[in-house]
Amino acid sequence: MEKKSFTRAILALMAFMLTSVSLLAQEALFGNSALISPEIHPDNTVTFRLVAPKARVVQVTGDFLPTQKVTTEQGTFDRPGVATLTENEQGVWEYTTPEPLKSELYSYSFLVDGIRMMDPNNVYMNRDVMTVTNIFIIKGGQGDLYSVNDVPHGTVAKRWYDSPTLGKQRRLTVYTPAGYEEGRQKYPVLYLLHGMGGDEEAWSALGRTAQIMDNLIAQGKAEPMIVVMTNGNVDQEAAPGESQEGLLKPVMRLPHMMDGTFEQSFPDVISFVEKNYRVIKKKSGRAIAGLSMGGFHSLHISKLYPDKFDYVGLFSSAIGVTDEKVSPVYEDMEGKLAIQFKDAPKLYWIGIGKTDFLYQANVEYRDLLQSKGYPFEYYESEGGHIWRNWRVYLTELAPKLFK
Amino acid sequence: MEKKSFTRAILALMAFMLTSVSLLAQEALFGNSALISPEIHPDNTVTFRLVAPKARVVQVTGDFLPTQKVTTEQGTFDRPGVATLTENEQGVWEYTTPEPLKSELYSYSFLVDGIRMMDPNNVYMNRDVMTVTNIFIIKGGQGDLYSVNDVPHGTVAKRWYDSPTLGKQRRLTVYTPAGYEEGRQKYPVLYLLHGMGGDEEAWSALGRTAQIMDNLIAQGKAEPMIVVMTNGNVDQEAAPGESQEGLLKPVMRLPHMMDGTFEQSFPDVISFVEKNYRVIKKKSGRAIAGLSMGGFHSLHISKLYPDKFDYVGLFSSAIGVTDEKVSPVYEDMEGKLAIQFKDAPKLYWIGIGKTDFLYQANVEYRDLLQSKGYPFEYYESEGGHIWRNWRVYLTELAPKLFK
């Protein structure tokens, strides 16, 4: 067999691979592949770059920019701001934030002559329903909790469970903490539910659940726990692209998302988890929390099965949208709450942002709880109905569970 | 508590979510969110669409188009073709393939005035090293094996294992077949290795391993088996974005990828798997296969530990790039092969594409095996050094394992 020089052969192989993966001569010519974007500077200012010599206007939009107020029929909301990049003589557009950014996980997109596009130099992205954006993390604070650090890492598994109530196999995401597989200990379980349009991928991707739990557990702040992330849309078997429906464009579909069906099928999830994992099978070993529609689900599931959950977390929860006629699940809310709070959960935690469009509904719900003397904890943040807040709420809630 | 109309409140919530996730008024104005792209027609022609009223030229490039020959210093290679979209009066650009596409998984990108961008109407993407492309599947043939079908589904877990040889915790992907968790049966294990620039995500994402295995097992074509997908770059703890290095731009890094270190650390993987999973701990229960650099690794690992693997698969394997001086692993290749083939593996499988730049090296390697009388199976496909072939090779090899 012919022997080539190791180095020469390897370099040829690498050159080929680079050529092969970049797909296009244009890209190499434009030099995009050599650019760094976003570049996080030592002072935490950030530079965004894009090679676009033929573009007329290149902008960047994202949640690192000051929000803009937008008024629609549904009210006034915060929208991410937009900044314009400037072009140099080589056709490289650039924008540097005027101020250092606070430690956080941020998302952004470019707008090239008005068309939203991904940053071709950043392979890190999140999908939120039908929109994909790039992400980056500023370390040195809250962002450290969303980063992979030198700590023991749990396992993240995508599994299928049988839901006899819904008559189908469904997919979920399970985080088991470091040491789970090797040990014999039984663990408590946090059931963590997504919002409307989300799925069983949302909390592990957008919510950085595995990173948050790895870090909080390693710091001794949270108890080692299993986190089960379900799909709250009972029309779906699994997240878009992961079911028999194929690679269809994700859409918001309403009919069966808040009609009591998911709540009624939830015992299927608990029974799967308790059969398949070494878990503490009692109220003190179970927590349920969710964001937006998932908060709504957590509220109703926890009162529908009042002996099941000692910890309840409502994040920017959809409250006050129920009609008793829709499902027996929503009938007699106050009567069911009375039963739930007779042997009250150890923690009933409500978190919401000051500018959330659900703020007032949450005020009214807190008033109800207070008027009945039901104990709860309340956490109010800046900002609105956004993933940044839900990650923060998870980092606030998790240390309070199972203690 | 104030009661709102259920339907009105839900619609307001949905409208808000839609507004919130789309990030930008522009996108709604341009109407991109209402478009379907790609649209797969009943006859398997495909239409690509992009709203870009200000663009001068919009093209699509991808492996569904006839390849173009490109000559570089390293030789002549196939490159995906490029087709130009035409613009209608609303600024919607469109291209329909002139012919139906064969059943396959395809990848593509748009080129807008020369800038490569994702299709904003397609959230399905694959990352290959540092390049992200959109994907779609044409069903009715090979593409069915890459699709999620109405069959029992295995679990895909991202786990960390300890590698004492490398002195670090490392990440891997494990596919366990449907029924694994419920049963008591012991399973055989296929170790499946990626190519240069890949990582422990490559086979499950680009390679569609879980879908392929779910389908082949359900059809009774493959034995139920565990598939372990490692990270063959010993400089990395984990795939880009999944390690302490943070969200750094992925780069090709050479120093320790083909210097014998990964091969020498491979027993750490086997020992982790055999300690943590119900597996058949003997030669007849182990297979190792890989693509390109992973084929190189499979070749060397299987002869370094000649009593370990009864099934070896070399996909478009990097062969003939070793220098004996680099590592004792590569010393005395023929002597080590003689030992391996003394008690020959039940199957030594070589697959390569006719236009692969490693074709000649594989011819020479087959000549060597033949000259020594070592048995092997050979599979030759069209095309070159591409994921399409590696998915096909997995569908060819898996049914031959553990029988």
Side-chain angles (χ1 to χ4, degrees), chain B residues 96-294:
Chain B
T96 301
T97 60
E99 300 291 333
L101 299 184
K102 218 180 109 192
S103 176
E104 244 306 335
L105 184 156
Y106 296 99
S107 60
Y108 71 100
S109 300
F110 285 129
L111 290 165
V112 179
D113 292 335
I115 303 178
R116 198 174 67 79
M117 65 172 276
M118 299 297 96
D119 183 344
N121 289 293
N122 184 352
V123 300
Y124 306 107
M125 307 180 186
N126 269 336
R127 177 183 63 81
D128 194 0
V129 192
M130 62 196 83
T131 303
V132 179
T133 52
N134 287 111
I135 61 167
F136 65 97
I137 294 176
I138 302 284
K139 294 204 181 188
Q142 188 73 13
D144 291 347
L145 288 173
Y146 310 148
S147 300
V148 177
N149 293 306
D150 186 13
V151 299
H153 302 295
T155 296
V156 177
K158 310 288 177 181
R159 283 189 68 168
W160 291 74
Y161 72 100
D162 183 38
S163 177
T165 309
L166 300 173
K168 53 182 131 185
Q169 302 289 315
R170 307 194 73 225
R171 194 165 173 265
L172 42 69
T173 301
V174 181
Y175 167 87
T176 42
Y180 171 81
E181 287 93 349
E182 293 78 26
R184 292 173 173 274
Q185 181 191 341
K186 290 187 178 175
Y187 290 82
V189 181
L190 164 61
Y191 295 87
L192 193 55
L193 315 184
H194 63 80
M196 189 173 291
D199 51 60
E200 77 277 11
E201 309 263 317
W203 266 110
S204 60
L206 294 148
R208 307 287 291 178
T209 305
Q211 292 77 23
I212 291 171
M213 296 312 302
D214 278 357
N215 290 318
L216 289 176
I217 293 168
Q219 291 168 13
K221 288 184 182 157
E223 294 295 312
M225 66 183 83
I226 292 173
V227 185
V228 175
M229 294 157 268
T230 49
N231 185 322
N233 179 349
V234 295
D235 282 342
Q236 292 183 339
E237 293 179 334
E242 300 291 343
S243 77
Q244 296 173 55
E245 292 182 358
L247 306 183
L248 287 187
K249 186 168 180 170
V251 287
M252 289 272 194
R253 271 180 299 190
L254 274 183
H256 297 106
M257 295 190 84
M258 291 164 88
D259 69 352
T261 321
F262 182 65
E263 293 90 330
Q264 284 165 329
S265 75
F266 206 78
D268 295 344
V269 177
I270 300 176
S271 121
F272 168 80
V273 169
E274 303 199 343
K275 204 173 147 189
N276 283 274
Y277 292 87
R278 289 195 324 276
V279 298
I280 299 163
K281 300 180 192 181
K282 51 187 185 186
K283 192 177 178 182
S284 62
R286 294 190 204 98
I288 188 165
L291 72 92
S292 194
M293 179 186 80

Side-chain angles (χ1 to χ4, degrees), chain B residues 296-323:
Chain B
F296 172 95
H297 283 150
S298 299
L299 186 162
H300 290 289
I301 290 168
S302 68
K303 72 175 172 41
L304 192 60
Y305 310 105
D307 58 338
K308 290 289 185 203
F309 301 96
D310 239 345
Y311 303 87
V312 179
L314 312 183
F315 301 173
S316 309
S317 186
I319 293 174
V321 295
T322 44
D323 183 334

Side-chain angles (χ1 to χ4, degrees), chain A residues 6 13 19 23 33 35 52 54 56 79 114-115 121 124 156 158-159 181 240 248-249 254 258 321 357, chain B residues 6 13 19 30 33 35 52 54 56 79-80 115 121 124 156 158-159 181 240 248-249 258 321 357:
Chain A
F6 178 72
L13 185 60
T19 316
L23 273 179
S33 59
L35 278 191
K54 293 184 185 169
R56 279 151 286 193
R79 272 255 178 81
I115 302 178
N121 289 293
Y124 305 107
V156 177
K158 310 288 179 181
R159 284 189 68 168
E181 287 93 348
L248 286 188
K249 186 169 180 169
L254 274 185
M258 291 163 88
V321 295
F357 75 111
Chain B
F6 178 73
L13 184 61
T19 316
F30 287 170
S33 59
L35 279 190
K54 294 185 184 169
R56 280 151 285 194
R79 270 253 177 84
I115 303 178
N121 289 293
Y124 306 107
V156 177
K158 310 288 177 181
R159 283 189 68 168
E181 287 93 349
L248 287 187
K249 186 168 180 170
M258 291 164 88
V321 295
F357 75 111

Side-chain angles (χ1 to χ4, degrees), chain A residues 1 5 10 29 33 45 49 102 112 146 165 183 199 204 213 262 267 277 287 309 318 322 330 366 401:
Chain A
M1 190 167 58
S5 144
I10 287 289
L29 288 174
S33 59
T45 58
R49 295 187 181 94
K102 219 180 109 190
V112 179
Y146 310 147
T165 310
D199 51 59
S204 61
M213 296 312 302
F262 182 65
Y277 293 87
F309 301 96
T322 45
Y330 307 132
R366 283 188 288 127
L401 301 176

Side-chain angles (χ1 to χ4, degrees), chain A residues 111-301:
Chain A
L111 290 165
V112 179
D113 292 336
I115 302 178
R116 199 174 67 79
M117 67 172 275
M118 299 296 97
D119 183 344
N121 289 293
N122 184 353
V123 299
Y124 305 107
M125 306 179 187
N126 269 337
R127 176 182 64 81
D128 193 1
V129 192
M130 61 196 84
T131 303
V132 179
T133 52
N134 287 111
I135 61 166
F136 65 98
I137 294 177
I138 302 283
K139 294 205 181 186
Q142 188 72 12
D144 292 347
L145 287 173
Y146 310 147
S147 300
V148 177
N149 294 305
D150 186 13
V151 299
H153 302 295
T155 298
V156 177
K158 310 288 179 181
R159 284 189 68 168
W160 291 74
Y161 72 100
D162 183 37
S163 177
T165 310
L166 300 173
K168 52 182 130 184
Q169 302 288 314
R170 307 193 73 225
R171 193 165 173 265
L172 43 69
T173 302
V174 181
Y175 167 86
T176 43
Y180 171 83
E181 287 93 348
E182 294 77 25
R184 293 174 173 273
Q185 181 192 340
K186 290 186 177 175
Y187 290 81
V189 181
L190 164 62
Y191 295 88
L192 193 55
L193 315 184
H194 62 79
M196 189 175 288
D199 51 59
E200 77 278 11
E201 309 262 317
W203 266 110
S204 61
L206 294 148
R208 307 288 289 177
T209 304
Q211 292 77 23
I212 290 171
M213 296 312 302
D214 279 357
N215 289 319
L216 289 177
I217 293 168
Q219 292 168 11
K221 288 184 183 157
E223 295 295 313
M225 67 183 83
I226 293 172
V227 185
V228 175
M229 293 155 270
T230 49
N231 185 322
N233 180 350
V234 296
D235 280 343
Q236 292 183 340
E237 293 179 334
E242 301 291 344
S243 77
Q244 295 174 57
E245 293 183 358
L247 306 184
L248 286 188
K249 186 169 180 169
V251 285
M252 289 270 192
R253 271 179 299 190
L254 274 185
H256 297 105
M257 294 189 85
M258 291 163 88
D259 69 351
T261 320
F262 182 65
E263 292 91 331
Q264 284 165 330
S265 74
F266 207 78
D268 296 345
V269 178
I270 300 176
S271 121
F272 168 80
V273 169
E274 302 198 343
K275 203 173 148 190
N276 283 275
Y277 293 87
R278 288 196 325 277
V279 298
I280 298 163
K281 299 181 192 179
K282 51 187 183 186
K283 192 177 179 183
S284 61
R286 294 190 204 97
I288 188 165
L291 72 94
S292 193
M293 180 186 79
F296 172 96
H297 283 150
S298 300
L299 187 163
H300 291 289
I301 290 168

